[in-house]
Amino acid sequence: MDVQLPAGWRKVLSRELEKPYFQELMEFVDHERRKFTVYPPEREVFKAFQLTPYADVKVLLLGQDPYHGEGQAHGLCFSVRPGKRPPPSLVNILRESKNDLGCPIPNNGYLAPWARQGVMLLNAVLTVRARQPNSHEGQGWEKFTDAVIEALNARSRPLVFMLWGASAQKKTKRIHSPPHGIVTAAHPSPLSMKKFFGSKPFSRANSALAKLGEKAIDWCLPNV
């Protein structure tokens, strides 16, 4: 598998890429692709890194694993391509952005405009077998994405970590706060959406960015 990381990310993760577990992980994903359909496509596995350079990350939003339906996952957590119907968690995210900030509900669930402003949309696991959620858990992706969190934590320019749900919030032990900001909320899935609604994560993230001297994120998505 071709690890398509931009120079800044490759520099801070170079040691991780050389570790035996990572080589075994790449072999596992290659083997899975030979036998099964795997999402996202290989060229998009590292899309979050490509759209949000290491030096430019202002917010890290951490998801779990990619969508497992056809044509949904494209390398950004919670996001789907234009033309794809937003899954329930994403519907709830868009609804909360309207309730929190007054953002109109867009005609799409494409979150790349966030990524281009410095919101890294990272899943803890970066690949999945089609129609089998969590099928690539425990193969090494979690070690790699923990290293990503630690690389951001070590950066001199502080950022805001947005951690939704218990799984993401376990990562707080890897984050030194301050100087970084941490915004937690329930997960936006249908199972916990009642707790997610009203948590105002977007305005809280912008408040945390302001305390760090950073420009706010425009969370309102355009129609496409």
Side-chain angles (χ1 to χ4, degrees):
M1 179 174 168
D2 185 15
V3 182
Q4 299 177 3
L5 289 176
W9 279 112
R10 187 170 287 276
K11 181 178 179 181
V12 296
L13 296 171
S14 58
R15 291 185 180 180
E16 210 66 24
L17 302 179
E18 295 171 358
K19 291 182 179 179
Y21 89 85
F22 190 81
Q23 303 302 320
E24 293 167 6
L25 170 62
M26 295 299 95
E27 292 171 6
F28 165 78
V29 176
D30 285 342
H31 182 262
E32 284 281 291
R33 287 195 189 278
R34 287 193 294 269
K35 294 183 65 179
F36 307 101
T37 300
V38 171
Y39 299 129
E42 182 171 346
R43 69 183 183 279
E44 294 182 323
V45 170
F46 297 98
K47 180 63 73 175
F49 300 83
Q50 295 159 7
L51 290 186
T52 314
Y54 174 71
D56 297 343
V57 177
K58 295 166 63 175
V59 177
L60 175 71
L61 176 55
L62 187 65
Q64 295 177 345
D65 76 329
Y67 295 129
H68 55 89
E70 182 179 357
Q72 292 179 316
H74 65 107
L76 304 178
C77 74
F78 295 112
S79 180
V80 292
R81 291 186 184 88
K84 281 291 176 182
R85 184 178 180 179
S89 291
L90 181 52
V91 169
N92 293 336
I93 290 168
L94 299 176
R95 179 177 166 186
E96 179 62 16
S97 72
K98 180 180 180 180
N99 294 339
D100 185 6
L101 298 173
C103 295
I105 300 295
N107 65 356
N108 67 95
Y110 187 54
L111 304 184
W114 293 358
R116 294 191 180 100
Q117 294 178 74
V119 181
M120 188 173 191
L121 298 166
L122 181 70
N123 276 313
V125 175
L126 299 187
T127 56
V128 68
R129 193 186 296 179
R131 297 174 296 281
Q132 295 188 38
N134 306 316
S135 49
H136 286 187
E137 280 191 353
Q139 298 295 333
W141 279 126
E142 296 91 341
K143 289 183 181 179
F144 175 72
T145 52
D146 279 352
V148 172
I149 292 169
E150 289 167 0
L152 288 169
N153 178 66
R155 205 184 63 178
S156 57
R157 180 185 177 185
L159 65 142
V160 175
F161 291 85
M162 290 182 75
L163 306 175
W164 294 346
S167 179
Q169 288 164 25
K170 290 177 182 177
K171 306 300 183 182
T172 54
K173 63 186 178 182
R174 301 183 180 277
I175 302 164
H176 301 149
S177 182
H180 304 296
I182 297 177
V183 174
T184 61
H187 196 275
S189 76
L191 295 175
S192 52
M193 63 184 186
K194 290 183 179 179
K195 293 181 179 179
F196 179 72
F197 292 145
S199 62
K200 300 185 180 297
F202 305 106
S203 59
R204 289 164 56 210
N206 279 348
S207 293
L209 285 169
K211 291 178 182 177
L212 299 176
E214 296 283 358
K215 183 180 177 181
I217 302 295
D218 180 2
W219 296 103
C220 298
L221 295 168
N223 288 330
V224 295

